[in-house]
PDB file of all heavy atoms in Angstrom:
ATOM      1  N   PRO R   1      15.437   2.862  -1.824  1.00 98.00           N
ATOM      2  CA  PRO R   1      14.315   3.776  -1.437  1.00 98.00           C
ATOM      3  C   PRO R   1      13.745   4.492  -2.623  1.00 98.00           C
ATOM      4  O   PRO R   1      14.374   4.777  -3.593  1.00 98.00           O
ATOM      5  CB  PRO R   1      15.004   4.751  -0.467  1.00 98.00           C
ATOM      6  CG  PRO R   1      16.497   4.671  -0.801  1.00 98.00           C
ATOM      7  CD  PRO R   1      16.715   3.291  -1.376  1.00 98.00           C
ATOM      8  N   PHE R   2      12.381   4.717  -2.548  1.00 97.00           N
ATOM      9  CA  PHE R   2      11.636   5.421  -3.573  1.00 97.00           C
ATOM     10  C   PHE R   2      12.288   6.760  -3.993  1.00 97.00           C
ATOM     11  O   PHE R   2      12.254   7.083  -5.125  1.00 97.00           O
ATOM     12  CB  PHE R   2      10.230   5.611  -3.154  1.00 97.00           C
ATOM     13  CG  PHE R   2       9.294   4.494  -3.478  1.00 97.00           C
ATOM     14  CD1 PHE R   2       9.688   3.249  -3.746  1.00 97.00           C
ATOM     15  CD2 PHE R   2       7.969   4.669  -3.437  1.00 97.00           C
ATOM     16  CE1 PHE R   2       8.932   2.106  -4.009  1.00 97.00           C
ATOM     17  CE2 PHE R   2       7.094   3.595  -3.759  1.00 97.00           C
ATOM     18  CZ  PHE R   2       7.547   2.379  -4.086  1.00 97.00           C
ATOM     19  N   GLU R   3      12.884   7.437  -3.017  1.00 97.00           N
ATOM     20  CA  GLU R   3      13.534   8.816  -3.428  1.00 97.00           C
ATOM     21  C   GLU R   3      14.607   8.600  -4.291  1.00 97.00           C
ATOM     22  O   GLU R   3      14.986   9.540  -5.089  1.00 97.00           O
ATOM     23  CB  GLU R   3      13.804   9.616  -2.148  1.00 97.00           C
ATOM     24  CG  GLU R   3      14.855   8.921  -1.203  1.00 97.00           C
ATOM     25  CD  GLU R   3      14.255   8.162  -0.097  1.00 97.00           C
ATOM     26  OE1 GLU R   3      13.054   7.711  -0.205  1.00 97.00           O
ATOM     27  OE2 GLU R   3      14.940   7.832   0.918  1.00 97.00           O
ATOM     28  N   ALA R   4      15.345   7.445  -4.309  1.00 96.00           N
ATOM     29  CA  ALA R   4      16.375   7.176  -5.235  1.00 96.00           C
ATOM     30  C   ALA R   4      15.815   6.498  -6.537  1.00 96.00           C
ATOM     31  O   ALA R   4      16.162   6.960  -7.691  1.00 96.00           O
ATOM     32  CB  ALA R   4      17.467   6.226  -4.542  1.00 96.00           C
ATOM     33  N   LEU R   5      14.976   5.547  -6.327  1.00 96.00           N
ATOM     34  CA  LEU R   5      14.332   4.894  -7.420  1.00 96.00           C
ATOM     35  C   LEU R   5      13.643   5.806  -8.390  1.00 96.00           C
ATOM     36  O   LEU R   5      13.699   5.797  -9.625  1.00 96.00           O
ATOM     37  CB  LEU R   5      13.489   3.722  -6.987  1.00 96.00           C
ATOM     38  CG  LEU R   5      12.450   3.114  -7.910  1.00 96.00           C
ATOM     39  CD1 LEU R   5      13.125   2.441  -9.055  1.00 96.00           C
ATOM     40  CD2 LEU R   5      11.528   2.261  -7.164  1.00 96.00           C
ATOM     41  N   HIS R   6      12.799   6.723  -7.770  1.00 95.00           N
ATOM     42  CA  HIS R   6      11.966   7.501  -8.582  1.00 95.00           C
ATOM     43  C   HIS R   6      12.558   8.736  -9.259  1.00 95.00           C
ATOM     44  O   HIS R   6      11.887   9.497  -9.983  1.00 95.00           O
ATOM     45  CB  HIS R   6      10.806   7.999  -7.755  1.00 95.00           C
ATOM     46  CG  HIS R   6       9.743   6.939  -7.510  1.00 95.00           C
ATOM     47  ND1 HIS R   6       8.531   7.193  -7.047  1.00 95.00           N
ATOM     48  CD2 HIS R   6       9.770   5.587  -7.688  1.00 95.00           C
ATOM     49  CE1 HIS R   6       7.875   5.969  -6.951  1.00 95.00           C
ATOM     50  NE2 HIS R   6       8.555   5.076  -7.330  1.00 95.00           N
ATOM     51  N   ARG R   7      13.951   8.801  -9.175  1.00 95.00           N
ATOM     52  CA  ARG R   7      14.630   9.888  -9.863  1.00 95.00           C
ATOM     53  C   ARG R   7      14.537   9.604 -11.407  1.00 95.00           C
ATOM     54  O   ARG R   7      14.459  10.497 -12.219  1.00 95.00           O
ATOM     55  CB  ARG R   7      16.060  10.003  -9.379  1.00 95.00           C
ATOM     56  CG  ARG R   7      16.177  10.577  -8.087  1.00 95.00           C
ATOM     57  CD  ARG R   7      17.605  10.815  -7.730  1.00 95.00           C
ATOM     58  NE  ARG R   7      17.630  11.274  -6.381  1.00 95.00           N
ATOM     59  CZ  ARG R   7      18.402  10.772  -5.410  1.00 95.00           C
ATOM     60  NH1 ARG R   7      19.263   9.780  -5.656  1.00 95.00           N
ATOM     61  NH2 ARG R   7      18.452  11.277  -4.193  1.00 95.00           N
ATOM     62  N   VAL R   8      14.652   8.362 -11.794  1.00 94.00           N
ATOM     63  CA  VAL R   8      14.707   8.019 -13.207  1.00 94.00           C
ATOM     64  C   VAL R   8      13.840   6.798 -13.604  1.00 94.00           C
ATOM     65  O   VAL R   8      13.573   6.501 -14.763  1.00 94.00           O
ATOM     66  CB  VAL R   8      16.070   7.716 -13.788  1.00 94.00           C
ATOM     67  CG1 VAL R   8      16.934   9.003 -13.687  1.00 94.00           C
ATOM     68  CG2 VAL R   8      16.760   6.589 -12.988  1.00 94.00           C
ATOM     69  N   GLN R   9      13.210   6.133 -12.510  1.00 97.00           N
ATOM     70  CA  GLN R   9      12.353   5.009 -12.787  1.00 97.00           C
ATOM     71  C   GLN R   9      11.158   5.109 -11.817  1.00 97.00           C
ATOM     72  O   GLN R   9      11.054   5.968 -11.062  1.00 97.00           O
ATOM     73  CB  GLN R   9      13.101   3.709 -12.494  1.00 97.00           C
ATOM     74  CG  GLN R   9      14.296   3.460 -13.497  1.00 97.00           C
ATOM     75  CD  GLN R   9      15.209   2.368 -12.998  1.00 97.00           C
ATOM     76  OE1 GLN R   9      15.760   2.464 -11.868  1.00 97.00           O
ATOM     77  NE2 GLN R   9      15.348   1.345 -13.857  1.00 97.00           N
ATOM     78  N   ALA R  10      10.299   4.075 -11.913  1.00 97.00           N
ATOM     79  CA  ALA R  10       9.155   3.919 -11.032  1.00 97.00           C
ATOM     80  C   ALA R  10       8.646   2.538 -10.984  1.00 97.00           C
ATOM     81  O   ALA R  10       9.040   1.720 -11.814  1.00 97.00           O
ATOM     82  CB  ALA R  10       7.988   4.949 -11.426  1.00 97.00           C
ATOM     83  N   VAL R  11       7.770   2.312 -10.004  1.00 98.00           N
ATOM     84  CA  VAL R  11       7.218   0.874  -9.877  1.00 98.00           C
ATOM     85  C   VAL R  11       5.712   1.056  -9.678  1.00 98.00           C
ATOM     86  O   VAL R  11       5.179   0.867  -8.645  1.00 98.00           O
ATOM     87  CB  VAL R  11       7.866   0.134  -8.749  1.00 98.00           C
ATOM     88  CG1 VAL R  11       9.210  -0.460  -9.145  1.00 98.00           C
ATOM     89  CG2 VAL R  11       7.861   0.873  -7.450  1.00 98.00           C
ATOM     90  N   PRO R  12       4.985   1.432 -10.785  1.00 97.00           N
ATOM     91  CA  PRO R  12       3.528   1.559 -10.714  1.00 97.00           C
ATOM     92  C   PRO R  12       2.912   0.141 -10.498  1.00 97.00           C
ATOM     93  O   PRO R  12       3.413  -0.838 -10.853  1.00 97.00           O
ATOM     94  CB  PRO R  12       3.174   2.152 -11.949  1.00 97.00           C
ATOM     95  CG  PRO R  12       4.262   1.800 -13.009  1.00 97.00           C
ATOM     96  CD  PRO R  12       5.499   1.741 -12.163  1.00 97.00           C
ATOM     97  N   THR R  13       1.732   0.215  -9.946  1.00 97.00           N
ATOM     98  CA  THR R  13       0.886  -0.932  -9.820  1.00 97.00           C
ATOM     99  C   THR R  13       0.174  -1.157 -11.026  1.00 97.00           C
ATOM    100  O   THR R  13      -0.594  -0.331 -11.536  1.00 97.00           O
ATOM    101  CB  THR R  13      -0.090  -0.847  -8.628  1.00 97.00           C
ATOM    102  OG1 THR R  13       0.635  -0.568  -7.433  1.00 97.00           O
ATOM    103  CG2 THR R  13      -0.948  -1.945  -8.441  1.00 97.00           C
ATOM    104  N   ALA R  14       0.389  -2.379 -11.686  1.00 97.00           N
ATOM    105  CA  ALA R  14      -0.248  -2.682 -12.981  1.00 97.00           C
ATOM    106  C   ALA R  14      -1.524  -3.479 -12.824  1.00 97.00           C
ATOM    107  O   ALA R  14      -2.449  -3.415 -13.669  1.00 97.00           O
ATOM    108  CB  ALA R  14       0.749  -3.552 -13.774  1.00 97.00           C
ATOM    109  N   GLY R  15      -1.723  -4.075 -11.659  1.00 98.00           N
ATOM    110  CA  GLY R  15      -2.967  -4.786 -11.386  1.00 98.00           C
ATOM    111  C   GLY R  15      -3.109  -4.960  -9.874  1.00 98.00           C
ATOM    112  O   GLY R  15      -2.059  -5.156  -9.098  1.00 98.00           O
ATOM    113  N   ILE R  16      -4.315  -5.016  -9.367  1.00 98.00           N
ATOM    114  CA  ILE R  16      -4.502  -5.230  -8.004  1.00 98.00           C
ATOM    115  C   ILE R  16      -5.890  -5.827  -7.726  1.00 98.00           C
ATOM    116  O   ILE R  16      -6.891  -5.474  -8.386  1.00 98.00           O
ATOM    117  CB  ILE R  16      -4.321  -3.888  -7.123  1.00 98.00           C
ATOM    118  CG1 ILE R  16      -4.251  -4.112  -5.710  1.00 98.00           C
ATOM    119  CG2 ILE R  16      -5.437  -2.910  -7.479  1.00 98.00           C
ATOM    120  CD1 ILE R  16      -3.671  -2.953  -4.862  1.00 98.00           C
ATOM    121  N   GLU R  17      -5.946  -6.754  -6.791  1.00 98.00           N
ATOM    122  CA  GLU R  17      -7.257  -7.318  -6.409  1.00 98.00           C
ATOM    123  C   GLU R  17      -7.231  -7.375  -4.812  1.00 98.00           C
ATOM    124  O   GLU R  17      -6.285  -7.994  -4.269  1.00 98.00           O
ATOM    125  CB  GLU R  17      -7.409  -8.747  -6.986  1.00 98.00           C
ATOM    126  CG  GLU R  17      -8.653  -9.396  -6.614  1.00 98.00           C
ATOM    127  CD  GLU R  17      -8.824 -10.764  -7.281  1.00 98.00           C
ATOM    128  OE1 GLU R  17      -8.213 -11.032  -8.277  1.00 98.00           O
ATOM    129  OE2 GLU R  17      -9.607 -11.572  -6.657  1.00 98.00           O
ATOM    130  N   THR R  18      -8.287  -6.889  -4.244  1.00 98.00           N
ATOM    131  CA  THR R  18      -8.309  -6.712  -2.832  1.00 98.00           C
ATOM    132  C   THR R  18      -9.692  -7.289  -2.280  1.00 98.00           C
ATOM    133  O   THR R  18     -10.682  -7.029  -2.902  1.00 98.00           O
ATOM    134  CB  THR R  18      -8.170  -5.255  -2.407  1.00 98.00           C
ATOM    135  OG1 THR R  18      -6.916  -4.843  -2.940  1.00 98.00           O
ATOM    136  CG2 THR R  18      -8.057  -5.193  -0.822  1.00 98.00           C
ATOM    137  N   ARG R  19      -9.535  -7.949  -1.159  1.00 98.00           N
ATOM    138  CA  ARG R  19     -10.712  -8.388  -0.453  1.00 98.00           C
ATOM    139  C   ARG R  19     -10.691  -7.810   0.993  1.00 98.00           C
ATOM    140  O   ARG R  19      -9.706  -8.037   1.626  1.00 98.00           O
ATOM    141  CB  ARG R  19     -10.668  -9.991  -0.382  1.00 98.00           C
ATOM    142  CG  ARG R  19     -11.942 -10.496   0.394  1.00 98.00           C
ATOM    143  CD  ARG R  19     -11.984 -11.995   0.256  1.00 98.00           C
ATOM    144  NE  ARG R  19     -13.106 -12.498   0.877  1.00 98.00           N
ATOM    145  CZ  ARG R  19     -14.272 -12.892   0.363  1.00 98.00           C
ATOM    146  NH1 ARG R  19     -14.345 -12.903  -1.011  1.00 98.00           N
ATOM    147  NH2 ARG R  19     -15.250 -13.331   1.072  1.00 98.00           N
ATOM    148  N   PHE R  20     -11.755  -7.214   1.291  1.00 97.00           N
ATOM    149  CA  PHE R  20     -11.866  -6.517   2.650  1.00 97.00           C
ATOM    150  C   PHE R  20     -12.604  -7.459   3.447  1.00 97.00           C
ATOM    151  O   PHE R  20     -13.700  -7.905   3.282  1.00 97.00           O
ATOM    152  CB  PHE R  20     -12.555  -5.181   2.560  1.00 97.00           C
ATOM    153  CG  PHE R  20     -11.876  -4.197   1.639  1.00 97.00           C
ATOM    154  CD1 PHE R  20     -12.303  -4.013   0.380  1.00 97.00           C
ATOM    155  CD2 PHE R  20     -10.687  -3.594   2.001  1.00 97.00           C
ATOM    156  CE1 PHE R  20     -11.668  -3.160  -0.547  1.00 97.00           C
ATOM    157  CE2 PHE R  20     -10.044  -2.757   1.209  1.00 97.00           C
ATOM    158  CZ  PHE R  20     -10.531  -2.541  -0.088  1.00 97.00           C
ATOM    159  N   ARG R  21     -11.900  -7.955   4.656  1.00 97.00           N
ATOM    160  CA  ARG R  21     -12.519  -8.931   5.489  1.00 97.00           C
ATOM    161  C   ARG R  21     -13.275  -8.326   6.672  1.00 97.00           C
ATOM    162  O   ARG R  21     -14.257  -8.992   7.084  1.00 97.00           O
ATOM    163  CB  ARG R  21     -11.335  -9.841   6.117  1.00 97.00           C
ATOM    164  CG  ARG R  21     -10.525 -10.419   5.055  1.00 97.00           C
ATOM    165  CD  ARG R  21     -11.053 -11.726   4.672  1.00 97.00           C
ATOM    166  NE  ARG R  21     -10.224 -12.288   3.640  1.00 97.00           N
ATOM    167  CZ  ARG R  21     -10.624 -13.389   2.931  1.00 97.00           C
ATOM    168  NH1 ARG R  21     -11.931 -13.781   3.031  1.00 97.00           N
ATOM    169  NH2 ARG R  21      -9.917 -13.891   2.007  1.00 97.00           N
ATOM    170  N   ALA R  22     -12.773  -7.282   7.263  1.00 97.00           N
ATOM    171  CA  ALA R  22     -13.511  -6.713   8.426  1.00 97.00           C
ATOM    172  C   ALA R  22     -13.042  -5.208   8.504  1.00 97.00           C
ATOM    173  O   ALA R  22     -11.993  -4.759   8.007  1.00 97.00           O
ATOM    174  CB  ALA R  22     -13.071  -7.376   9.739  1.00 97.00           C
ATOM    175  N   PRO R  23     -13.953  -4.395   9.056  1.00 97.00           N
ATOM    176  CA  PRO R  23     -13.619  -2.903   9.097  1.00 97.00           C
ATOM    177  C   PRO R  23     -12.515  -2.667  10.179  1.00 97.00           C
ATOM    178  O   PRO R  23     -12.380  -3.396  11.146  1.00 97.00           O
ATOM    179  CB  PRO R  23     -14.918  -2.253   9.490  1.00 97.00           C
ATOM    180  CG  PRO R  23     -15.703  -3.311  10.292  1.00 97.00           C
ATOM    181  CD  PRO R  23     -15.253  -4.648   9.570  1.00 97.00           C
ATOM    182  N   SER R  24     -11.804  -1.619   9.893  1.00 98.00           N
ATOM    183  CA  SER R  24     -10.815  -1.096  10.872  1.00 98.00           C
ATOM    184  C   SER R  24     -11.312   0.293  11.387  1.00 98.00           C
ATOM    185  O   SER R  24     -11.935   0.988  10.671  1.00 98.00           O
ATOM    186  CB  SER R  24      -9.502  -0.929  10.278  1.00 98.00           C
ATOM    187  OG  SER R  24      -9.009  -2.185   9.870  1.00 98.00           O
ATOM    188  N   ARG R  25     -10.934   0.530  12.619  1.00 97.00           N
ATOM    189  CA  ARG R  25     -11.472   1.728  13.273  1.00 97.00           C
ATOM    190  C   ARG R  25     -10.347   2.665  13.739  1.00 97.00           C
ATOM    191  O   ARG R  25      -9.248   2.140  13.992  1.00 97.00           O
ATOM    192  CB  ARG R  25     -12.374   1.429  14.439  1.00 97.00           C
ATOM    193  CG  ARG R  25     -13.539   0.588  13.986  1.00 97.00           C
ATOM    194  CD  ARG R  25     -14.539   0.355  15.124  1.00 97.00           C
ATOM    195  NE  ARG R  25     -15.660  -0.434  14.678  1.00 97.00           N
ATOM    196  CZ  ARG R  25     -16.664  -0.046  13.828  1.00 97.00           C
ATOM    197  NH1 ARG R  25     -16.699   1.216  13.486  1.00 97.00           N
ATOM    198  NH2 ARG R  25     -17.622  -0.873  13.456  1.00 97.00           N
ATOM    199  N   HIS R  26     -10.678   3.945  13.943  1.00 97.00           N
ATOM    200  CA  HIS R  26      -9.643   4.883  14.379  1.00 97.00           C
ATOM    201  C   HIS R  26      -8.939   4.336  15.644  1.00 97.00           C
ATOM    202  O   HIS R  26      -9.612   3.877  16.615  1.00 97.00           O
ATOM    203  CB  HIS R  26     -10.394   6.225  14.738  1.00 97.00           C
ATOM    204  CG  HIS R  26      -9.500   7.357  14.998  1.00 97.00           C
ATOM    205  ND1 HIS R  26      -9.912   8.477  15.670  1.00 97.00           N
ATOM    206  CD2 HIS R  26      -8.196   7.482  14.811  1.00 97.00           C
ATOM    207  CE1 HIS R  26      -8.902   9.287  15.796  1.00 97.00           C
ATOM    208  NE2 HIS R  26      -7.894   8.719  15.320  1.00 97.00           N
ATOM    209  N   GLY R  27      -7.541   4.318  15.642  1.00 97.00           N
ATOM    210  CA  GLY R  27      -6.827   3.794  16.710  1.00 97.00           C
ATOM    211  C   GLY R  27      -6.398   2.341  16.592  1.00 97.00           C
ATOM    212  O   GLY R  27      -5.510   2.087  17.367  1.00 97.00           O
ATOM    213  N   ASP R  28      -6.983   1.616  15.723  1.00 98.00           N
ATOM    214  CA  ASP R  28      -6.569   0.271  15.549  1.00 98.00           C
ATOM    215  C   ASP R  28      -5.143   0.265  15.121  1.00 98.00           C
ATOM    216  O   ASP R  28      -4.563   1.043  14.355  1.00 98.00           O
ATOM    217  CB  ASP R  28      -7.365  -0.489  14.481  1.00 98.00           C
ATOM    218  CG  ASP R  28      -8.648  -0.898  14.963  1.00 98.00           C
ATOM    219  OD1 ASP R  28      -9.082  -0.746  16.211  1.00 98.00           O
ATOM    220  OD2 ASP R  28      -9.501  -1.400  14.126  1.00 98.00           O
ATOM    221  N   GLN R  29      -4.434  -0.722  15.626  1.00 98.00           N
ATOM    222  CA  GLN R  29      -2.996  -1.014  15.248  1.00 98.00           C
ATOM    223  C   GLN R  29      -2.906  -2.160  14.305  1.00 98.00           C
ATOM    224  O   GLN R  29      -3.155  -3.312  14.650  1.00 98.00           O
ATOM    225  CB  GLN R  29      -2.165  -1.350  16.511  1.00 98.00           C
ATOM    226  CG  GLN R  29      -2.061  -0.309  17.559  1.00 98.00           C
ATOM    227  CD  GLN R  29      -1.237   0.886  17.183  1.00 98.00           C
ATOM    228  OE1 GLN R  29      -0.365   0.777  16.346  1.00 98.00           O
ATOM    229  NE2 GLN R  29      -1.420   1.917  17.813  1.00 98.00           N
ATOM    230  N   LEU R  30      -2.676  -1.834  12.973  1.00 98.00           N
ATOM    231  CA  LEU R  30      -2.698  -2.843  11.965  1.00 98.00           C
ATOM    232  C   LEU R  30      -1.266  -3.325  11.739  1.00 98.00           C
ATOM    233  O   LEU R  30      -0.275  -2.547  11.892  1.00 98.00           O
ATOM    234  CB  LEU R  30      -3.158  -2.323  10.613  1.00 98.00           C
ATOM    235  CG  LEU R  30      -4.609  -1.724  10.613  1.00 98.00           C
ATOM    236  CD1 LEU R  30      -4.966  -1.202   9.343  1.00 98.00           C
ATOM    237  CD2 LEU R  30      -5.605  -2.713  11.218  1.00 98.00           C
ATOM    238  N   THR R  31      -1.073  -4.526  11.309  1.00 98.00           N
ATOM    239  CA  THR R  31       0.212  -5.057  10.818  1.00 98.00           C
ATOM    240  C   THR R  31      -0.064  -5.517   9.374  1.00 98.00           C
ATOM    241  O   THR R  31      -0.952  -6.356   9.126  1.00 98.00           O
ATOM    242  CB  THR R  31       0.651  -6.196  11.588  1.00 98.00           C
ATOM    243  OG1 THR R  31       0.870  -5.786  12.949  1.00 98.00           O
ATOM    244  CG2 THR R  31       1.965  -6.790  11.051  1.00 98.00           C
TER     245      THR R  31
END
């Protein structure tokens, strides 16, 4: 868990690429 990991280490995001396919609306259930 992050609360244990982040005491002395971390896992930052070094790179990210995202494609948005369709909008999501209030109340939508995402997986």
Side-chain angles (χ1 to χ4, degrees):
F2 272 18
E3 60 268 19
L5 165 63
H6 283 193
R7 287 187 186 128
V8 294
Q9 295 167 303
V11 284
T13 300
I16 192 165
E17 182 179 334
T18 305
R19 181 173 178 103
F20 301 102
R21 304 275 181 194
S24 296
R25 300 186 182 286
H26 189 196
D28 283 354
Q29 297 286 339
L30 304 179
T31 301

